[in-house]
Amino acid sequence: MSLAELDLSLVIPVYNEEENLSLLWPEIREVLDPTGLRYEIVFVDDGSRDRSPELIRGFREQDVRVRLVRLKSNSGETAATDAGFKGARGRWVVTMDADLQNDPHDIPLLLSHLERWDAVTGWRTRREDPWIRRISSRIANAVRNVISGDSVQDSGCTFRAFRRQCLSGLTLYRGFHRFLPTLLRMQGYRVLEVPVSHRPRRFGQSKYGIANRAFSAFRDLLVVRWMADRQLRYQVVEDLGGGFREE
Ligand code: UDP
Ligand code: MG
């Protein structure tokens, strides 16, 4: 298979998810193999201290569609996602968590919208997280929408699909995984939100607490607000000559 023919790159940031990986990988295959899509899975190991990288190497031995991009040390979800984007070769890119909270069975649904939309972002309508997380996310989404001027129901949901070409112009900073739909819309891309299912985390722990997320995400939000205010808006109405002189 030539690389030019890849339909899909699945980008999955992984930080200490050893118990989830051995269930996630067969589930992805079970969903994607019958679709006939030519795909690769880019697991980005974000400096895990458990057996996650060894497990991914084991998958790779069984199936060359699996790739391991391993970061030297824990660098954060946005960094891991960015490394995955840079390595992705498919025409489409899907991001999802490694913790089984996103259901791979939703991937075909997300992809089905990419013919008409540049990106699709999940909306966890029945969220399976502790009530304190659900409430804090609801508040965070409301605050984000007021301050950024965008409207995104569930900006914390990183189960998303993109046309890969949309991603090349993005410069990401720590914490920006929460703002990808807004950043893409700022660049003029069309982003759709669709309901996705959500499952409880059975193994391992969430990497975020309420306090660390609230403060850093609020600071990031102010930056995104500033970017939205200050982005360049202009139309070229004439460009005479274009640099060539006719002989
Ligand atoms: N993750 C990562 N690096 C980090 C934190 C998280 O690669 O520093 C990964 C994590 O393994 C998971 C995804 O990013 O696959 C989302 O993290 P988590 O599930 O803890 O976030 P939540 O769903 O609780 O918001
Ligand atoms: Mg999760």
Side-chain angles (χ1 to χ4, degrees):
M1 175 171 51
S2 85
L3 290 178
E5 292 168 2
L6 270 188
D7 295 310
L8 171 66
S9 299
L10 213 55
V11 169
I12 307 184
V14 176
Y15 182 46
N16 296 339
E17 303 283 5
E18 61 183 1
E19 288 142 306
N20 293 309
L21 288 173
S22 27
L23 295 170
L24 178 65
W25 164 226
E27 199 179 16
I28 290 170
R29 266 191 316 200
E30 177 194 305
V31 172
L32 290 184
D33 285 356
T35 64
L37 288 170
R38 289 150 301 188
Y39 67 94
E40 62 177 357
I41 306 194
V42 186
F43 286 104
V44 185
D45 180 68
D46 184 17
S48 293
R49 285 184 294 267
D50 67 0
R51 292 180 54 249
S52 296
E54 283 106 279
L55 289 170
I56 299 164
R57 280 189 210 106
F59 303 156
R60 166 76 188 187
E61 274 165 26
Q62 293 165 38
D63 190 331
V64 291
R65 293 175 300 181
V66 173
R67 292 173 55 200
L68 168 64
V69 173
R70 190 162 61 84
L71 306 188
K72 187 171 179 187
S73 58
N74 181 232
S75 308
E77 186 177 344
T78 305
T81 306
D82 188 69
F85 284 167
K86 297 211 161 105
R89 299 170 295 191
R91 181 160 57 99
W92 298 322
V93 174
V94 165
T95 53
M96 69 187 294
D97 285 9
D99 59 5
L100 302 171
Q101 288 201 266
N102 303 135
D103 184 344
H105 291 88
D106 286 328
I107 295 173
L109 167 91
L110 294 178
L111 294 178
S112 69
H113 295 287
L114 284 185
E115 296 296 339
R116 303 188 55 206
W117 296 81
D118 299 307
V120 187
T121 187
W123 170 14
R124 297 163 292 182
T125 43
R126 294 170 62 99
R127 185 138 171 213
E128 297 288 347
D129 274 324
W131 65 270
I132 183 93
R133 282 282 305 268
R134 295 204 306 267
I135 291 180
S136 68
S137 288
R138 192 167 291 186
I139 296 168
N141 279 308
V143 172
R144 269 170 217 160
N145 286 333
V146 168
I147 295 187
S148 71
D150 196 1
S151 91
V152 183
Q153 301 287 343
D154 187 6
S155 57
C157 180
T158 47
F159 194 13
R160 301 175 174 135
F162 311 88
R163 295 185 189 169
R164 182 164 59 89
Q165 74 213 35
C166 309
L167 301 172
S168 51
L170 286 177
T171 303
L172 298 180
Y173 293 85
R174 282 184 81 99
F176 268 29
H177 60 275
R178 297 186 184 92
F179 299 100
L180 274 181
T182 300
L183 296 169
L184 288 172
R185 282 184 180 148
M186 275 165 54
Q187 296 200 2
Y189 291 116
R190 286 156 39 84
V191 182
L192 176 70
E193 252 188 305
V194 298
V196 290
S197 45
H198 194 238
R199 308 185 288 198
R201 196 185 238 282
R202 283 160 60 204
F203 308 107
Q205 286 173 348
S206 170
K207 309 303 179 293
Y208 306 103
I210 305 289
N212 73 8
R213 190 194 320 245
F215 290 118
S216 59
F218 187 71
R219 189 186 51 197
D220 300 340
L221 172 62
L222 296 181
V223 172
V224 172
R225 161 70 192 241
W226 178 88
M227 288 170 69
D229 284 347
R230 301 290 286 165
Q231 75 172 314
L232 299 179
R233 290 185 188 83
Y234 59 86
Q235 278 180 294
V236 176
V237 290
E238 193 167 355
D239 177 1
L240 196 61
F244 289 99
R245 237 182 53 204
E246 290 197 19
E247 294 300 320

